[in-house]
Amino acid sequence: MLHLVHVLTSLEYGGIESFALRLLKRLPRDQFRSSIMITTPEQGKRYDDFVAEVNLPAFHCYYQHRRRVRFIRALSRQLKGIRPDIVLSYAYGTHAMVAIASWLAGIPRNYVRVAGEPVRHLKKSKLMTKLGRPFCHGEIAVSKATARQLVENIGLPANRVFTIENGCEVEEIQSRANRSVHIPSDTLRLIMVSRMDDAKDHETLLQAVAKLSAQGKKVQLQLAGEGPSRPSHEALARQLGIVDQVQFLGNCQNVPELLGQADFLVHSTRTEGMPNVLLEAMAAEIPIIASDIEPCRELIQDGVCGKLFVKGEVDSLIQAIVDLQSAPRLQKQLTSAAAQRVREQYHVDRMAQRYIHLFQHGTPD
């Protein structure tokens, strides 16, 4: 039986938390024993709920800013006591410290999951990758786009970069979305589900809603998610005069139901590794409009499983919304193709099997 330690820096980023839950639930208990290591002082209901749901031993090794050597030593001591076979880090960049600590503790293998766009902070990514590379046994890219960037921009050898695309609970999301009542209306109901930070582009979507409203169209927008940019987004909605048309929902546990009630999912973003919400929207069979960046393009293929608009361009987003709203037959074609694609290529069971194969054999294939 293999013993894994899953090192998470924080539970503030919903995508990482959701992925960890999906993977942990699907690692066979007769083949794997897992433990959780949290490196930030998490507390409160979110942390309690996560630990209760995974129902696994949870350890803590707090990282204090710029206290890298102290953290490495402390984590190494903890890992020596736990003695896992494999360490999986969920934070690319700080993974270098985890990798060094794992090596000092004599852990046979450690990997890092690369969920964001590695070129977003290019200099830092190159530095931390260089520091961690002698001690890390491989980088797990969540999309082909991320894998390409790790090789071409970060300079990693292709043979140490493993691509394991994120997976989605297709049947559960589809069932929950279908149980939600979608009431036909002359008001266009848009939804965006995303953490509110500088990686996303809620501003372009808010401006598009304001411009559509000025043109006489009835539009309602729901924004699900939290983050440091929420106050500025709320201020922008007030400035644009669309407060009554925008709902800030905060973190939501009922995303499939919200998708089932909406007309379109809009994913306006500047950078991504692989947007999980697109997988969920594909499973929920809701039409998708997303920024034309490589990971979104990889998932929905413009005109096949959804529509893309030029990143950051309000008029391009408006045109995509108007074109799709006026084409109900196209909407059906896109959602049908998306549902088939997510079932065949991005099912959570397929993802879990590839991780299991990597842990057991050193390669996901």
Side-chain angles (χ1 to χ4, degrees), residues 298-316:
E298 178 181 324
L299 270 181
I300 67 172
Q301 302 172 317
D302 191 25
V304 178
C305 298
K307 286 187 69 67
L308 299 173
F309 69 94
V310 180
K311 179 179 71 172
E313 291 196 7
V314 175
D315 288 340
S316 178

Side-chain angles (χ1 to χ4, degrees), residues 285-302:
E285 297 189 49
I286 174 177
I288 297 168
I289 299 171
S291 299
D292 189 4
I293 61 173
E294 190 173 359
C296 296
R297 199 181 311 133
E298 178 181 324
L299 270 181
I300 67 172
Q301 302 172 317
D302 191 25

Side-chain angles (χ1 to χ4, degrees), residues 2-7 33 35 37 72-89 95 97-112 132-138 359:
L2 291 173
H3 183 188
L4 275 69
V5 168
H6 303 253
V7 181
R33 181 162 60 96
S35 303
M37 179 71 72
I72 290 170
R73 287 174 176 169
L75 181 57
S76 177
R77 287 194 296 269
Q78 288 229 42
L79 291 174
K80 280 182 180 179
I82 301 171
R83 300 192 63 79
D85 301 293
I86 300 171
V87 171
L88 175 61
S89 176
H95 78 283
M97 295 183 291
V98 177
I100 294 170
S102 299
W103 175 75
L104 289 172
I107 309 305
R109 284 188 287 157
N110 73 86
Y111 301 98
V112 59
R133 180 176 166 184
F135 312 101
C136 181
H137 295 85
F359 297 148

Side-chain angles (χ1 to χ4, degrees), residues 28-101:
R29 294 293 176 102
D30 60 338
Q31 300 175 42
F32 295 94
R33 181 162 60 96
S34 291
S35 303
I36 307 298
M37 179 71 72
I38 305 291
T39 65
T40 53
E42 298 284 357
Q43 57 183 339
K45 187 175 186 302
R46 191 180 185 94
Y47 171 75
D48 294 340
D49 289 348
F50 179 83
V51 172
E53 188 164 359
V54 298
N55 191 27
L56 293 169
F59 302 88
H60 301 84
C61 185
Y62 300 146
Y63 169 63
Q64 294 177 292
H65 186 55
R66 298 187 183 280
R67 301 289 182 90
R68 298 181 180 90
V69 174
R70 178 183 294 183
F71 172 73
I72 290 170
R73 287 174 176 169
L75 181 57
S76 177
R77 287 194 296 269
Q78 288 229 42
L79 291 174
K80 280 182 180 179
I82 301 171
R83 300 192 63 79
D85 301 293
I86 300 171
V87 171
L88 175 61
S89 176
Y90 288 68
Y92 176 66
T94 57
H95 78 283
M97 295 183 291
V98 177
I100 294 170

Side-chain angles (χ1 to χ4, degrees), residues 241-260:
I242 55 172
V243 171
D244 293 339
Q245 296 165 250
V246 182
Q247 287 181 286
F248 288 84
L249 303 177
N251 289 322
C252 298
Q253 301 300 316
N254 61 335
V255 169
E257 288 80 6
L258 292 172
L259 292 173

